[in-house]
Amino acid sequence: MAENRRLILRNFLSPDICKELEFIHKSCCTVGYRPNVFSTTLSHLIATNSAHLIMPFVPIRDRLKEKVEECFGCEYELFVEFTGLISWTKGASIGWHSDDNRDHLKQRDFSAVCYLNSYEVDFHGGLFHFQDGEPSTIAPIAGDVIIYTADNRNIHSVSEITEGERITLAMWFSRDASHDEDAKLLKSLSDCALSNHIDSITSCFPILASTNMYWFPPEEASRFQSGFNICFARLHVLGFDIYIPNKECHLSARDSSYNSLKLLEEPLYLACGDKLLAWEFANILHALQVVQFYCWKASGLETDQVHGTSIDIVPLSESQRKEIDRLKTVLLKDVPQVFRRSLQRFCGPQVCEWEAYTLKLLKQMVMSIPYWTTHQSIFSLDVLNLHS
């Protein structure tokens, strides 16, 4: 198969893995590198105290690297050069190009695009086209993967997204060990492991990156005259608002949007309609992770099926509603058209289930890091056997 320039792997990822990666992206992403594109890199997860969320990527990276080496007849070990989640929203597209078409990308030898959702189900537009050869056009289907050489034998484009959000896991592989992504990640992971307590959920609360990384469109990130905070917007399209209590400096017209954005780094509450969830979240990313986790696990997180800490839902007061509306006018200057609306309802056990999931991943990561460090490589381990 060494002559093959490209290959489609059908159903390579399970539906639940696709949904898990979608959860990670929608709760952690920042504004991306192109207009109407959003991204989540492994280094970003580590930097924002969500390093445990790299664990679902590890077996996928192993499987894909092995498959690329096998399918393209590699007589040498490949190195993962980049791993990231990328979503394309309304208006996003890219013209003809190869994946090594810049001097700083020449180390890329092979590409893999894993589709996490489906054409004409979750989004419209976004077809993947090769300039020549077969297959010439690929309609993304959740779970499918396309692998191909990153050079000019596989010049390709993506047509404009007209509706919805097209989500992919993108990976590149290199023959050059100096571009091994693992080496760059391991130092940060080692520092992270030293500071985390595997039985404390507070050690897993996410930390926001700089405020401009969450403002869309990015060209407004210094002026804030139009656009919106993407974390706030993702909650908004799901039917949730943010309430930040006990602030002497209320959000009046004279307050800058920047100062308002800084409030999102502080403890806050979620509201839905005329109800307030009486549970304090560490910041907006913490709230967003819990809500997106529920979107992923909704069918199994009904209140009559899952046991956990009881969380009160109380009526909103008039003063609380005014503060919520004031915050919305500052951080949601435009109604977001790039994210698809999908209203969710409250489910108290979702907080407890998110905590259990998070601590499980943290424990797996902390147990794996010594082995990764020894081998200077991130790879799958049988954590249960290690623990025993």
Side-chain angles (χ1 to χ4, degrees):
M1 302 185 71
E3 293 80 17
N4 282 2
R5 296 185 298 166
R6 66 189 68 135
L7 183 68
I8 298 179
L9 308 172
R10 300 292 185 188
N11 301 309
F12 187 80
L13 300 180
S14 70
D16 195 55
I17 287 294
C18 291
K19 289 294 183 183
E20 184 173 16
L21 296 182
E22 180 178 348
F23 146 70
I24 293 171
H25 181 65
K26 287 185 174 181
S27 59
C28 301
C29 74
T30 61
V31 173
Y33 59 99
R34 299 181 63 82
N36 303 307
V37 170
F38 302 88
S39 66
T40 306
T41 65
L42 300 191
S43 59
H44 174 74
L45 292 175
I46 297 170
T48 53
N49 202 44
S50 296
H52 54 279
L53 291 177
I54 75 168
M55 295 306 295
F57 294 86
V58 176
I60 300 171
R61 292 164 93 244
D62 285 352
R63 290 176 59 209
L64 267 178
K65 185 166 82 76
E66 182 179 326
K67 183 61 70 173
V68 170
E69 290 172 345
E70 171 193 334
C71 291
F72 292 99
C74 300
E75 297 178 357
Y76 39 77
E77 181 183 7
L78 292 176
F79 301 93
V80 179
E81 189 261 353
F82 175 85
T83 308
L85 298 169
I86 301 171
S87 66
W88 301 55
T89 60
K90 185 176 180 179
S93 66
I94 188 170
W96 296 114
H97 69 285
S98 64
D99 287 344
D100 68 348
N101 66 344
R102 297 286 187 274
D103 287 342
H104 66 280
L105 303 178
K106 292 300 181 184
Q107 70 278 1
R108 292 181 174 176
D109 294 300
F110 300 99
S111 307
V113 179
C114 313
Y115 297 112
L116 305 183
N117 58 3
S118 298
Y119 173 69
E120 293 193 332
V121 176
D122 304 293
F123 60 89
H124 296 275
L127 292 172
F128 189 107
H129 301 283
F130 284 110
Q131 195 171 54
D132 55 55
E134 294 294 335
S136 60
T137 298
I138 297 169
I141 300 174
D144 287 357
V145 176
I146 176 75
I147 58 177
Y148 53 94
T149 60
D151 56 19
N152 60 13
R153 291 177 293 172
N154 277 300
I155 293 175
H156 57 279
S157 67
V158 177
S159 62
E160 183 175 334
I161 307 294
T162 58
E163 183 184 345
E165 186 172 11
R166 174 189 188 267
I167 309 175
T168 62
L169 167 63
M171 291 181 62
W172 284 278
F173 302 91
S174 178
R175 299 182 179 93
D176 187 346
S178 68
H179 290 280
D180 185 1
E181 179 182 48
D182 291 6
K184 302 169 188 176
L185 298 174
L186 279 170
K187 183 182 185 304
S188 299
L189 282 172
S190 297
D191 294 341
C192 172
L194 291 173
S195 61
N196 271 327
H197 302 285
I198 62 174
D199 296 319
S200 172
I201 191 61
T202 57
S203 69
C204 300
F205 288 161
I207 299 170
L208 277 78
S210 61
T211 55
N212 63 340
M213 296 179 71
Y214 302 103
W215 193 267
F216 178 89
E219 58 268 21
E220 287 291 330
S222 59
R223 297 178 296 175
F224 306 109
Q225 293 179 356
S226 63
F228 50 84
N229 174 271
I230 62 173
C231 304
F232 194 98
R234 284 200 184 274
L235 288 169
H236 174 75
V237 299
L238 293 171
F240 293 95
D241 292 315
I242 292 296
Y243 172 62
I244 305 176
N246 303 322
K247 290 295 166 188
E248 294 182 3
C249 179
H250 294 301
L251 297 171
S252 65
R254 67 178 181 273
D255 294 316
S256 71
S257 293
Y258 177 80
N259 289 334
S260 303
L261 285 165
K262 297 297 285 184
L263 292 180
L264 300 180
E265 300 175 9
E266 300 184 16
L268 48 78
Y269 293 83
L270 284 175
C272 187
D274 60 353
K275 304 294 184 183
L276 184 74
L277 182 64
W279 184 275
E280 186 180 79
F281 294 92
N283 53 50
I284 194 170
L285 281 185
H286 179 203
L288 183 58
Q289 280 195 20
V290 172
V291 170
Q292 292 291 353
F293 181 83
Y294 178 60
C295 293
W296 168 31
K297 295 288 191 178
S299 62
L301 287 178
E302 298 300 330
T303 53
D304 60 347
Q305 294 177 318
V306 179
H307 301 286
T309 302
S310 176
I311 299 173
D312 292 333
I313 298 175
V314 299
L316 274 175
S317 69
E318 183 177 350
S319 63
Q320 288 171 335
R321 170 50 63 189
K322 287 181 179 178
E323 289 306 310
I324 287 171
D325 290 343
R326 188 174 292 119
L327 183 64
K328 194 182 301 184
T329 62
V330 176
L331 300 181
L332 203 65
K333 295 181 182 296
D334 299 321
V335 177
Q337 300 295 325
V338 295
F339 303 136
R340 179 170 283 180
R341 182 174 295 274
S342 175
L343 298 181
Q344 300 288 331
R345 64 181 181 82
F346 279 139
C347 179
Q350 70 197 79
V351 177
C352 303
E353 291 299 306
W354 172 83
E355 291 181 355
Y357 167 83
T358 297
L359 288 173
K360 176 184 174 183
L361 292 186
L362 176 64
K363 186 174 182 180
Q364 291 174 355
M365 183 191 73
V366 170
M367 293 178 67
S368 298
I369 284 176
Y371 297 88
W372 293 347
T373 302
T374 298
H375 295 277
Q376 283 297 290
S377 178
I378 297 173
F379 56 94
S380 298
L381 288 162
D382 188 342
V383 177
L384 291 178
N385 285 339
L386 289 177
H387 183 63
S388 61

